[in-house]
Amino acid sequence: MTKVLFIAAWGRSGTTILDNILNSYESVFTVGELTYLWLRGLQQRRPCGCGVPVPECPLWQEILRAAYGGDPPSATEVYALQRRSLRVRHTPTLLRTRPGPDVERYRQLMASLYRAVADVTGATLIVDSSKSPADAAMLSGVAGVQPYLLHVVRDPRAVAYSWSRTTSHHDPSTPGLTHHHSPAESSRLWLGWNLLIERTARAYPGRHRRLRYEDFMVGPRETVEGLLRFVGLPEEAVSPPAGGPFVDRGTVRLRSNHTVSGNPSRFRTGEVSLKLDDRWIDQQARGQRLVSTTVSMPLLPRYRYPLWPALRRTADPAH
């Protein structure tokens, strides 16, 4: 059985750095947001984590040959399958009914792909950070895969603050591309996605876990090692004698990766100091915070977030 850890979350929740850290363990291979392999990777030729376009990456060429031989599926056709059956709104249907022919075909293609990734890379654990609850629901029924679900959450006010700022994507293949959501839209999607992920977790009995971004950043090493133990990696893989990627409790050495899609920070390698990003507490406009809090209020207590966070800094009386 191929072990796959699926990271599910609404965007801007800190999944990319977690993905990169996991990839820096010898027995782990992260594919990034694998759901975008067919469109962004193979059709749009966006760069692999190694820097070259996905279709030209020697490792992905080998993986695709191992998965499909000399008759690979058309990327256009597979993307059409996704559009027909793997939208976020399809999540409940994927969980409660027998799959239709489109879903069954897609699951077969993914079973071959996950198996090929494991065979070619020799990894004990594959990490898929596609985030979507529909993809998580699909994965729960893929033959030959032992799936685990990691539900990552972050304070919705922090997420809304991040989405509300216009930030460059910095993807060499898509210059100038930006992402933007209003606080109301971000918080509505945060609420909907997290509810769907909670529902999807029922399809992972004994194999799902929830992680708050804030807790992860306070104890990154302990968090990551706990996750690796959770999915059943042996202790020598979790804490190798030669040392893992953590230089110390809060500094990690990231190695290069072959993620097919994701946040531009996936291209970052070398030593990285991990620090909780809580600038939003002082910098978010009061009106935006009120909107985000109101929309996301049903889940705030469950995820242990206060209704109105206290300001992090106080004014300097000398000024």
Side-chain angles (χ1 to χ4, degrees):
M1 296 284 282
T2 304
K3 282 188 177 182
V4 177
L5 175 64
F6 188 96
I7 301 178
W10 174 232
R12 307 294 176 93
S13 295
T15 59
T16 300
I17 184 61
L18 175 60
D19 200 23
N20 286 353
I21 293 172
L22 288 167
N23 180 74
S24 298
Y25 284 82
E26 291 297 330
S27 57
V28 182
F29 183 83
T30 61
V31 292
E33 297 176 3
L34 191 61
T35 190
Y36 295 117
L37 169 66
W38 313 98
L39 176 65
R40 297 179 183 176
L42 297 177
Q43 291 188 64
Q44 297 178 351
R45 298 177 56 84
R46 295 193 192 182
C48 169
C50 68
V52 303
V54 170
E56 298 174 16
C57 171
L59 182 63
W60 277 104
Q61 290 177 347
E62 186 178 356
I63 289 170
L64 291 170
R65 281 195 301 270
Y68 308 116
D71 187 26
S74 162
T76 302
E77 292 176 3
V78 177
Y79 177 61
L81 278 179
Q82 291 178 315
R83 297 280 293 177
R84 290 196 299 269
S85 55
L86 254 73
R87 301 287 190 93
V88 171
R89 66 173 181 266
H90 297 142
T91 304
T93 302
L94 289 164
L95 291 169
R96 71 170 180 258
T97 63
R98 292 178 61 85
D102 284 346
V103 175
E104 188 59 37
R105 168 63 174 157
Y106 188 75
R107 280 177 167 161
Q108 291 171 355
L109 291 171
M110 295 305 291
S112 298
L113 186 58
Y114 283 124
R115 184 169 57 248
V117 171
D119 290 344
V120 171
T121 65
T124 305
L125 175 69
I126 298 167
V127 180
D128 183 345
S129 57
S130 292
K131 295 202 283 287
S132 168
D135 285 88
M138 177 280 303
L139 177 62
S140 68
V142 173
V145 165
Q146 185 177 22
Y148 292 80
L149 178 65
L150 179 64
H151 178 189
V152 178
V153 296
R154 186 183 183 187
D155 191 303
R157 284 70 60 96
V159 173
Y161 175 73
S162 180
W163 279 115
S164 67
R165 294 183 300 159
T166 302
T167 55
S168 174
H169 194 278
H170 294 304
D171 185 328
S173 67
T174 53
L177 180 65
T178 59
H179 294 278
H180 178 88
H181 287 298
S182 70
E185 182 181 27
S186 169
S187 300
R188 177 181 61 82
L189 290 167
W190 179 92
L191 182 68
W193 275 52
N194 282 307
L195 286 171
L196 285 172
I197 294 168
E198 287 189 9
R199 184 170 181 178
T200 302
R202 301 173 193 168
Y204 291 75
R207 288 177 282 106
H208 66 87
R209 177 173 288 190
R210 185 183 301 149
L211 172 65
R212 299 195 326 157
Y213 160 81
E214 294 81 4
D215 297 334
F216 162 50
M217 295 307 291
V218 168
R221 181 170 187 168
E222 296 87 341
T223 299
V224 172
E225 291 181 353
L227 285 174
L228 296 178
R229 294 186 180 99
F230 165 66
V231 300
L233 263 61
E235 194 60 31
E236 59 268 23
V238 176
S239 301
F246 280 92
V247 177
D248 55 39
R249 191 171 181 269
T251 306
V252 65
R253 184 179 296 109
L254 302 178
R255 66 179 183 179
S256 60
N257 62 72
H258 289 276
T259 51
V260 297
S261 184
N263 187 288
S265 62
R266 67 193 174 101
F267 298 108
R268 190 173 183 180
T269 59
E271 287 195 9
V272 174
S273 179
L274 303 174
K275 183 180 179 182
L276 176 67
D277 182 359
D278 58 359
R279 291 170 295 173
W280 65 275
I281 294 177
D282 298 305
Q283 297 178 10
Q284 186 177 43
R286 186 180 179 89
Q288 292 185 349
R289 182 168 305 175
L290 179 61
V291 168
S292 180
T293 299
T294 302
V295 174
S296 58
M297 190 176 296
L299 285 180
L300 292 180
R302 188 179 306 176
Y303 297 160
R304 297 184 287 114
Y305 292 123
L307 289 181
W308 199 260
L311 291 179
R312 179 166 52 90
R313 303 185 186 92
T314 58
D316 185 345
H319 297 280

